């Protein structure tokens, strides 16, 4: 016999795992960017080492959600809640890979002085960090207004990334010898831009959860 209390308990566990995963992802991003700003190789290596924690959490979410589907046989919106949780955990795991890649750039630079003040990258990371927490909250509260906000924030990250690229290209004229480092910084900007894209994906999935329709928040 399917009991609603059992299903609700399972959903609460699923939400708790997503909160834990989102918090860990946010920490990874902030620590990775901080390691770049301060040339802290130990912090960067810790981000890389802990990346596996996100993989474990994703597996726990998939296992719990699968058990809920098998034992509780949810339909309609209840089923969408689980499917969207799967998609969110996948996006968070991919974000974690990107935070790890930022930390790897710190390791590759190996204490080398940065050719320009790091302004755009921390700014982008700050917006992306807010997007991570708000995208998870939009799922918890089924808040489509917050989900749609992801598109606006993503546009701001894109604009900052474009501005950073233009600055790097201009700087390259005066400092061609710094081209390898500039390429690494460009990669970091791209990684953060992709993290913002994944947060936007979460927003789209929340709208799907609430409405049953899949929007394109970037359109």
């Amino acid at each position: 016999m399917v009991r609603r209390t059992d299903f609700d308990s399972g959903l609460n566990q699923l939400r708790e795992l997503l909160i834990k995963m989102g918090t860990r992802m946010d920490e990874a991003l902030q620590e990775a960017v901080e390691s770049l700003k301060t040339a802290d190789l130990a912090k960067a290596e810790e981000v890389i080492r802990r990346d596996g924690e996100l993989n474990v959490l994703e597996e726990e979410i998939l296992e719990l959600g699968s058990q809920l589907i098998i034992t509780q046989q949810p339909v309609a919106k209840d089923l969408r809640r689980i499917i969207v949780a799967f998609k969110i955990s996948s996006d968070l795991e991919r974000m974690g890979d990107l935070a790890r890649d930022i930390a790897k750039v710190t390791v590759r630079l190996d204490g080398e002085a940065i050719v320009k003040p790091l302004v755009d990258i921390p700014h982008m990371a700050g917006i992306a960090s807010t997007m991570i927490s708000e995208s998870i909250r939009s799922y918890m509260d089924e808040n489509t207004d917050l989900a749609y906000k992801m598109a606006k924030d993503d546009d701001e990250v894109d604009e900052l990334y474009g501005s950073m690229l233009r600055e790097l290209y201009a700087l390259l004229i005066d400092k061609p010898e710094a081209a390898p480092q500039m390429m690494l910084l460009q990669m970091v900007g791209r990684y953060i831009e992709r993290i913002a894209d994944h947060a936007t994906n979460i927003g789209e999935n929340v709208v799907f959860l609430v409405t049953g329709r899949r929007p394109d928040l970037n359109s």
Side-chain angles (χ1 to χ4, degrees), residues 32-110:
V33 172
E34 182 64 21
S35 77
L36 182 66
K37 288 172 58 180
T38 60
D40 189 334
L41 298 183
K43 187 183 290 291
E45 289 166 355
E46 180 70 3
V47 172
I48 295 167
R49 184 188 68 79
R50 295 189 64 186
D51 178 59
E53 295 177 9
L54 290 171
N55 297 334
V56 171
L57 286 168
E58 182 187 22
E59 290 171 3
E60 290 179 6
I61 288 167
L62 290 173
E63 181 177 352
L64 175 58
S66 297
Q67 284 299 315
L68 286 174
I69 291 172
I70 293 169
T71 61
Q72 303 297 311
Q73 301 175 355
V75 296
K77 193 172 183 179
D78 284 336
L79 180 59
R80 294 204 300 273
R81 285 189 178 98
I82 298 173
I83 293 172
V84 168
F86 289 164
K87 291 179 178 295
I88 291 173
S89 68
S90 176
D91 277 307
L92 288 171
E93 191 278 330
R94 292 175 185 175
M95 291 184 199
D97 290 343
L98 293 164
R100 178 199 61 199
D101 290 340
I102 294 170
K104 286 183 176 180
V105 169
T106 300
V107 174
R108 288 180 64 179
L109 288 172
D110 194 22

Side-chain angles (χ1 to χ4, degrees), residues 28-29 68 78 92 96 104 107 119-120 125 136 145 150 168-170 172-173 178 196 200 202 204 206 219:
L29 173 60
L68 286 174
D78 284 336
L92 288 171
K104 286 183 176 180
V107 174
V119 177
D120 290 333
I136 297 298
D145 289 338
M150 296 299 106
L168 286 174
Y169 293 151
L172 186 61
I173 297 174
T200 303
I202 293 175
E204 290 180 353
V206 169
S219 62

Side-chain angles (χ1 to χ4, degrees), residues 106-184:
T106 300
V107 174
R108 288 180 64 179
L109 288 172
D110 194 22
E112 179 182 336
I114 303 297
V115 297
K116 65 179 287 295
L118 286 182
V119 177
D120 290 333
I121 285 174
H123 192 180
M124 291 170 64
I127 298 169
S129 175
T130 298
M131 292 177 73
I132 293 166
S133 60
E134 290 187 343
S135 65
I136 297 298
R137 195 163 83 239
S138 73
Y139 173 77
M140 301 302 163
D141 300 340
E142 298 186 10
N143 185 332
T144 56
D145 289 338
L146 203 53
Y148 276 109
K149 181 177 178 289
M150 296 299 106
K152 180 180 178 181
D153 291 343
D154 187 41
D155 287 344
E156 188 174 356
V157 172
D158 290 344
E159 289 174 8
L160 286 167
Y161 180 50
S163 174
M164 187 189 80
L165 289 180
R166 290 189 293 273
E167 185 178 353
L168 286 174
Y169 293 151
L171 192 59
L172 186 61
I173 297 174
D174 296 326
K175 297 183 178 181
E177 71 281 359
Q181 184 190 110
M182 292 183 194
M183 181 61 67
L184 290 175

